Amino acid sequence: MTMKQTDAARPVPAGGTVIPAVRAVGVHKAFGSLHVLKGVDMTVMPGSVTVILGPSGSGKSTFLRLINQLETLTGGRIEVNGEMIGYRYVERRGRRMLQTLDDRAVAAQREKLGMVFQRFNLFPHMTALENVMEAPVHVQGMRRAEARQLAIAELERVGLGGRLDHYPAQLSGGQQQRVAIARALAMKPSIMLFDEPTSALDPELVGEVLGVMRSLADEGMTMIVVTHEIGFAREVADQVVFMDGGVVVEQGGPEIIAHPSAPRFREFLAHVL
Ligand code: ADP
Ligand code: MG
């Protein structure tokens, strides 16, 4: 039997159980006295799409930022591809203790994650191609010629093969966001995190970005997407998670959008639909 590349790339332990791409257990986050996340559990399987819904201020961005180690946990733990992030266990005087990882180890863990924000944050003085080449060259030390080929391929993947030498100001918001997606993909992440990637776009530009995300999902990319685009959630998500007040109020398959059981989720849907 031959194994497909995608299957081979997935971490399967001896027992045959698939290791979650992301597993959050009892995650808490406080900013000073503001308790933002109050025990969030979430499991994201490799190759699946999780859409997180929830009102503004419910802690969605904070949760994504914790996964990507842009914030540190107040409590609980997060595993990415089976590896605890931010910490490792060490034996000290016969006791198992947690030690924070050094910057290098954190950077290595963060390379597995690609993140796309509401604001595209492209370098304005660089072309689309140069924006996508930047991290492979300066973070990974890739040769320019190789990075150039990679960047062209990633820009073609998001439908921008004809815009390589355009500067951000010469691109529409939707095109800029697609460059931002290509830039994240160029680091070959195993998981992509999207934080309201279409919220800053004019309505007519939303579809092209959602289309790129949908094709990524079809290619088998593991994705966690915070969005208010209910149609995308319904059609693309394998798992829908509704957060409110720093907790997961309801989660399930995309069918929970049509049949919400929690009153707060029902109210939220009534507002956004
Ligand atoms: P969402 O993305 O669901 O709108 P956020 O995760 O951005 O929610 O924010 C949740 C709460 O945490 C909000 O009250 C927000 O003001 C607060 N918050 C987020 N980041 C910080 C921070 N760095 N310092 C203090 N408060 C923060
Ligand atoms: Mg947010």
Side-chain angles (χ1 to χ4, degrees):
M1 196 185 84
T2 57
M3 229 175 165
K4 279 190 305 179
Q5 182 92 44
T6 50
D7 293 335
R10 285 182 189 163
V12 181
T17 322
V18 178
I19 293 176
V22 176
R23 194 161 85 100
V25 183
V27 165
H28 283 256
K29 178 62 184 178
F31 295 105
S33 60
L34 184 67
H35 202 167
V36 173
L37 295 177
K38 304 169 181 171
V40 172
D41 297 320
M42 203 178 297
T43 300
V44 174
M45 298 314 285
S48 74
V49 177
T50 295
V51 170
I52 303 178
L53 305 172
S56 179
S58 55
K60 307 180 300 294
S61 295
T62 300
F63 184 66
L64 288 192
R65 291 170 60 80
L66 283 168
I67 295 171
N68 202 16
Q69 300 191 64
L70 295 169
E71 305 283 358
T72 53
L73 289 160
T74 306
R77 69 194 150 86
I78 298 176
E79 291 163 11
V80 171
N81 300 329
E83 189 180 307
M84 187 165 47
I85 63 166
Y87 300 90
R88 71 166 148 242
Y89 282 107
V90 290
E91 293 282 338
R92 213 171 273 159
R93 292 188 293 274
R95 287 173 60 193
R96 220 160 156 243
M97 300 176 73
L98 279 177
Q99 186 180 64
T100 52
L101 295 179
D102 59 31
D103 292 349
R104 260 180 89 143
V106 168
Q109 289 185 329
R110 295 193 62 224
E111 273 193 36
K112 294 171 198 148
L113 299 154
M115 191 155 178
V116 177
F117 301 89
Q118 186 173 334
R119 297 270 160 205
F120 339 118
N121 306 320
L122 298 177
F123 296 112
H125 59 290
M126 292 184 187
T127 63
L129 186 69
E130 288 163 350
N131 265 282
V132 179
M133 286 174 63
E134 171 70 18
V137 169
H138 289 107
V139 179
Q140 289 182 324
M142 191 182 282
R143 296 196 337 273
R144 285 192 72 82
E146 193 186 338
R148 188 184 158 78
Q149 289 314 309
L150 168 68
I152 291 170
E154 296 302 349
L155 283 163
E156 283 172 349
R157 194 170 170 192
V158 300
L160 290 175
R163 296 284 187 279
L164 303 180
D165 298 320
H166 285 57
Y167 288 88
Q170 300 171 313
L171 298 169
S172 72
Q175 290 170 335
Q176 289 183 53
Q177 190 60 304
R178 284 148 67 197
V179 174
I181 293 171
R183 182 178 57 178
L185 292 172
M187 294 296 280
K188 299 294 176 198
S190 69
I191 302 161
M192 286 283 287
L193 309 174
F194 292 88
D195 193 357
E196 299 202 33
T198 60
S199 295
L201 298 177
D202 291 335
E204 72 273 19
L205 303 176
V206 168
E208 65 188 72
V209 173
L210 294 180
V212 165
M213 291 165 62
R214 185 186 298 250
S215 66
L216 274 183
D218 290 342
E219 289 171 27
M221 176 62 77
T222 308
M223 301 175 22
I224 305 179
V225 183
V226 173
T227 185
H228 295 297
E229 295 292 332
I230 300 296
F232 179 85
R234 199 189 286 123
E235 290 160 29
V236 183
D238 299 293
Q239 171 175 240
V240 173
V241 177
F242 173 68
M243 285 178 63
D244 193 13
V247 297
V248 173
V249 172
E250 187 165 346
Q251 61 181 311
E255 71 281 354
I256 67 169
I257 293 168
H259 306 284
S261 46
R264 272 192 282 171
F265 188 25
R266 246 180 276 153
E267 273 165 42
F268 172 82
L269 288 168
H271 277 99
V272 295
L273 282 173

